[in-house]
CSV table of all heavy atoms in Angstrom, one decimal:
chain,number,residue,atom,x,y,z
A,1,THR,N,21.0,-160.0,69.5
A,1,THR,CA,21.9,-160.1,68.4
A,1,THR,C,22.7,-161.4,68.6
A,1,THR,O,22.3,-162.2,69.4
A,1,THR,CB,22.8,-158.8,68.5
A,1,THR,OG1,23.7,-158.8,67.3
A,1,THR,CG2,23.6,-158.7,69.7
A,2,SER,N,23.8,-161.6,67.9
A,2,SER,CA,24.5,-162.8,68.0
A,2,SER,C,25.4,-162.7,69.3
A,2,SER,O,25.8,-161.6,69.7
A,2,SER,CB,25.4,-163.1,66.8
A,2,SER,OG,26.5,-162.1,66.7
A,3,MET,N,25.8,-163.9,69.8
A,3,MET,CA,26.7,-163.9,70.9
A,3,MET,C,28.0,-163.2,70.5
A,3,MET,O,28.6,-162.5,71.4
A,3,MET,CB,27.0,-165.3,71.4
A,3,MET,CG,27.9,-165.5,72.6
A,3,MET,SD,27.2,-164.7,74.1
A,3,MET,CE,26.1,-165.9,74.6
A,4,LEU,N,28.6,-163.4,69.3
A,4,LEU,CA,29.8,-162.8,68.9
A,4,LEU,C,29.7,-161.2,69.0
A,4,LEU,O,30.6,-160.5,69.4
A,4,LEU,CB,30.3,-163.2,67.6
A,4,LEU,CG,30.8,-164.6,67.5
A,4,LEU,CD1,31.2,-165.0,66.0
A,4,LEU,CD2,32.1,-164.7,68.4
A,5,THR,N,28.6,-160.7,68.4
A,5,THR,CA,28.3,-159.3,68.5
A,5,THR,C,28.2,-158.8,69.9
A,5,THR,O,28.7,-157.7,70.3
A,5,THR,CB,27.1,-158.9,67.6
A,5,THR,OG1,27.3,-159.4,66.3
A,5,THR,CG2,26.8,-157.4,67.7
A,6,ALA,N,27.4,-159.5,70.7
A,6,ALA,CA,27.3,-159.1,72.1
A,6,ALA,C,28.7,-159.0,72.8
A,6,ALA,O,29.0,-158.1,73.5
A,6,ALA,CB,26.4,-160.1,72.8
A,7,LYS,N,29.5,-160.0,72.6
A,7,LYS,CA,30.8,-160.0,73.2
A,7,LYS,C,31.7,-158.8,72.7
A,7,LYS,O,32.3,-158.2,73.5
A,7,LYS,CB,31.5,-161.4,72.9
A,7,LYS,CG,31.0,-162.5,73.7
A,7,LYS,CD,31.7,-163.8,73.3
A,7,LYS,CE,31.1,-165.0,74.1
A,7,LYS,NZ,31.8,-166.3,73.8
A,8,GLU,N,31.6,-158.6,71.4
A,8,GLU,CA,32.4,-157.5,70.9
A,8,GLU,C,32.0,-156.2,71.5
A,8,GLU,O,32.9,-155.4,72.0
A,8,GLU,CB,32.2,-157.4,69.3
A,8,GLU,CG,32.9,-156.2,68.7
A,8,GLU,CD,32.6,-156.0,67.2
A,8,GLU,OE1,32.0,-156.9,66.6
A,8,GLU,OE2,33.0,-155.0,66.7
A,9,PHE,N,30.8,-155.9,71.5
A,9,PHE,CA,30.4,-154.5,72.0
A,9,PHE,C,30.3,-154.4,73.5
A,9,PHE,O,30.5,-153.3,74.1
A,9,PHE,CB,29.1,-154.1,71.3
A,9,PHE,CG,29.3,-153.7,69.9
A,9,PHE,CD1,29.1,-154.7,68.9
A,9,PHE,CD2,29.8,-152.5,69.5
A,9,PHE,CE1,29.3,-154.4,67.5
A,9,PHE,CE2,30.0,-152.2,68.2
A,9,PHE,CZ,29.8,-153.1,67.2
A,10,LEU,N,30.0,-155.5,74.2
A,10,LEU,CA,30.0,-155.4,75.7
A,10,LEU,C,31.5,-155.4,76.2
A,10,LEU,O,31.8,-154.8,77.2
A,10,LEU,CB,29.3,-156.5,76.3
A,10,LEU,CG,27.7,-156.5,76.1
A,10,LEU,CD1,27.0,-157.7,76.7
A,10,LEU,CD2,27.2,-155.2,76.8
A,11,LEU,N,32.4,-156.1,75.6
A,11,LEU,CA,33.8,-156.2,76.1
A,11,LEU,C,34.6,-154.9,75.7
A,11,LEU,O,35.3,-154.4,76.4
A,11,LEU,CB,34.5,-157.5,75.6
A,11,LEU,CG,34.0,-158.8,76.2
A,11,LEU,CD1,34.6,-159.9,75.5
A,11,LEU,CD2,34.3,-158.8,77.7
A,12,LEU,N,34.3,-154.5,74.4
A,12,LEU,CA,35.1,-153.3,73.9
A,12,LEU,C,34.5,-152.0,74.3
A,12,LEU,O,35.1,-151.0,74.3
A,12,LEU,CB,35.3,-153.5,72.4
A,12,LEU,CG,36.2,-154.6,72.0
A,12,LEU,CD1,36.3,-154.7,70.4
A,12,LEU,CD2,37.6,-154.6,72.6
A,13,GLY,N,33.1,-152.0,74.5
A,13,GLY,CA,32.4,-150.8,74.8
A,13,GLY,C,32.3,-149.8,73.6
A,13,GLY,O,31.9,-148.6,73.8
A,14,ASP,N,32.5,-150.3,72.4
A,14,ASP,CA,32.4,-149.4,71.2
A,14,ASP,C,30.9,-148.9,71.0
A,14,ASP,O,30.0,-149.6,71.4
A,14,ASP,CB,32.9,-150.1,70.0
A,14,ASP,CG,34.3,-150.4,70.0
A,14,ASP,OD1,35.1,-149.7,70.8
A,14,ASP,OD2,34.8,-151.2,69.1
A,15,ARG,N,30.8,-147.8,70.3
A,15,ARG,CA,29.5,-147.3,70.0
A,15,ARG,C,28.9,-148.0,68.9
A,15,ARG,O,29.6,-148.3,67.9
A,15,ARG,CB,29.5,-145.8,69.7
A,15,ARG,CG,30.0,-144.9,70.9
A,15,ARG,CD,30.1,-143.5,70.4
A,15,ARG,NE,30.5,-142.6,71.6
A,15,ARG,CZ,30.6,-141.3,71.5
A,15,ARG,NH1,30.4,-140.7,70.3
A,15,ARG,NH2,31.0,-140.6,72.5
A,16,LEU,N,27.6,-148.3,68.9
A,16,LEU,CA,26.8,-148.8,67.8
A,16,LEU,C,25.9,-147.6,67.3
A,16,LEU,O,24.9,-147.3,68.0
A,16,LEU,CB,25.9,-150.0,68.1
A,16,LEU,CG,26.6,-151.3,68.3
A,16,LEU,CD1,26.8,-151.6,69.7
A,16,LEU,CD2,25.7,-152.4,67.6
A,17,HIS,N,26.3,-147.0,66.2
A,17,HIS,CA,25.4,-145.9,65.8
A,17,HIS,C,24.2,-146.5,65.2
A,17,HIS,O,24.1,-147.7,65.0
A,17,HIS,CB,26.2,-145.0,64.7
A,17,HIS,CG,27.3,-144.3,65.4
A,17,HIS,ND1,27.1,-143.0,66.0
A,17,HIS,CD2,28.6,-144.6,65.5
A,17,HIS,CE1,28.3,-142.6,66.4
A,17,HIS,NE2,29.2,-143.5,66.2
A,18,ALA,N,23.2,-145.7,65.1
A,18,ALA,CA,21.8,-146.1,64.9
A,18,ALA,C,21.7,-147.1,63.7
A,18,ALA,O,21.1,-148.2,63.8
A,18,ALA,CB,20.9,-144.9,64.6
A,19,ALA,N,22.3,-146.8,62.6
A,19,ALA,CA,22.2,-147.7,61.4
A,19,ALA,C,22.8,-149.1,61.7
A,19,ALA,O,22.3,-150.1,61.3
A,19,ALA,CB,22.8,-147.1,60.2
A,20,GLU,N,24.0,-149.0,62.4
A,20,GLU,CA,24.6,-150.3,62.8
A,20,GLU,C,23.8,-151.1,63.8
A,20,GLU,O,23.7,-152.3,63.7
A,20,GLU,CB,26.0,-150.0,63.3
A,20,GLU,CG,26.9,-151.2,63.5
A,20,GLU,CD,28.3,-150.8,64.0
A,20,GLU,OE1,28.6,-149.6,64.3
A,20,GLU,OE2,29.1,-151.7,64.0
A,21,ALA,N,23.2,-150.3,64.7
A,21,ALA,CA,22.3,-151.0,65.7
A,21,ALA,C,21.2,-151.7,65.0
A,21,ALA,O,20.8,-152.8,65.5
A,21,ALA,CB,21.8,-150.0,66.8
A,22,ALA,N,20.6,-151.1,64.0
A,22,ALA,CA,19.5,-151.7,63.3
A,22,ALA,C,20.0,-153.0,62.6
A,22,ALA,O,19.3,-154.0,62.6
A,22,ALA,CB,18.9,-150.7,62.3
A,23,ARG,N,21.2,-152.9,62.0
A,23,ARG,CA,21.7,-154.1,61.3
A,23,ARG,C,22.0,-155.2,62.3
A,23,ARG,O,21.8,-156.4,62.0
A,23,ARG,CB,23.0,-153.8,60.5
A,23,ARG,CG,22.7,-152.9,59.3
A,23,ARG,CD,23.9,-152.9,58.4
A,23,ARG,NE,25.0,-152.2,59.0
A,23,ARG,CZ,25.3,-150.9,58.9
A,23,ARG,NH1,24.4,-150.1,58.2
A,23,ARG,NH2,26.3,-150.4,59.5
A,24,ALA,N,22.4,-154.9,63.5
A,24,ALA,CA,22.7,-155.8,64.5
A,24,ALA,C,21.5,-156.4,65.2
A,24,ALA,O,21.6,-157.4,66.0
A,24,ALA,CB,23.6,-155.2,65.6
A,25,GLY,N,20.3,-155.8,64.9
A,25,GLY,CA,19.1,-156.3,65.6
A,25,GLY,C,18.8,-155.7,66.9
A,25,GLY,O,18.0,-156.2,67.7
A,26,LEU,N,19.4,-154.6,67.2
A,26,LEU,CA,19.2,-153.9,68.5
A,26,LEU,C,18.2,-152.7,68.4
A,26,LEU,O,17.9,-152.1,69.4
A,26,LEU,CB,20.6,-153.4,69.0
A,26,LEU,CG,21.5,-154.5,69.4
A,26,LEU,CD1,22.9,-153.9,69.6
A,26,LEU,CD2,21.0,-155.2,70.6
A,27,CYS,N,17.7,-152.4,67.2
A,27,CYS,CA,16.6,-151.4,67.1
A,27,CYS,C,15.8,-151.8,65.9
A,27,CYS,O,16.3,-152.5,65.0
A,27,CYS,CB,17.2,-150.0,67.0
A,27,CYS,SG,17.6,-149.3,65.4
A,28,ASN,N,14.6,-151.3,65.9
A,28,ASN,CA,13.6,-151.6,64.9
A,28,ASN,C,13.5,-150.6,63.8
A,28,ASN,O,13.3,-150.9,62.6
A,28,ASN,CB,12.2,-151.7,65.5
A,28,ASN,CG,12.1,-152.8,66.5
A,28,ASN,OD1,12.4,-152.5,67.7
A,28,ASN,ND2,11.8,-154.0,66.1
A,29,ARG,N,13.6,-149.3,64.1
A,29,ARG,CA,13.5,-148.2,63.1
A,29,ARG,C,14.5,-147.1,63.4
A,29,ARG,O,14.8,-146.8,64.6
A,29,ARG,CB,12.1,-147.6,63.2
A,29,ARG,CG,11.0,-148.5,62.9
A,29,ARG,CD,10.9,-148.9,61.4
A,29,ARG,NE,9.7,-149.6,61.0
A,29,ARG,CZ,9.6,-151.0,61.3
A,29,ARG,NH1,10.5,-151.7,61.8
A,29,ARG,NH2,8.4,-151.6,60.9
A,30,VAL,N,15.1,-146.5,62.3
A,30,VAL,CA,16.0,-145.4,62.4
A,30,VAL,C,15.3,-144.3,61.7
A,30,VAL,O,14.9,-144.4,60.5
A,30,VAL,CB,17.4,-145.7,61.8
A,30,VAL,CG1,18.2,-144.4,61.9
A,30,VAL,CG2,18.0,-146.8,62.6
A,31,VAL,N,15.1,-143.1,62.3
A,31,VAL,CA,14.4,-142.0,61.7
A,31,VAL,C,15.1,-140.7,62.0
A,31,VAL,O,16.0,-140.6,62.8
A,31,VAL,CB,12.9,-141.9,62.3
A,31,VAL,CG1,12.1,-143.2,62.1
A,31,VAL,CG2,13.0,-141.6,63.9
């Protein structure tokens, strides 16, 4: 994902729900 996105979620520890993870490039399919 982008460095800004990596910093946001690694520093804050927020959850990326499946649809958001797909948009961020962290998963390929949501089913």
Side-chain angles (χ1 to χ4, degrees):
T1 186
S2 72
M3 180 63 80
L4 284 177
T5 300
K7 288 178 178 178
E8 175 183 353
F9 287 96
L10 289 177
L11 291 173
L12 296 178
D14 292 343
R15 296 178 178 182
L16 285 98
H17 292 277
E20 188 175 12
R23 288 193 295 270
L26 293 167
C27 87
N28 300 87
R29 299 289 188 278
V30 177
V31 299

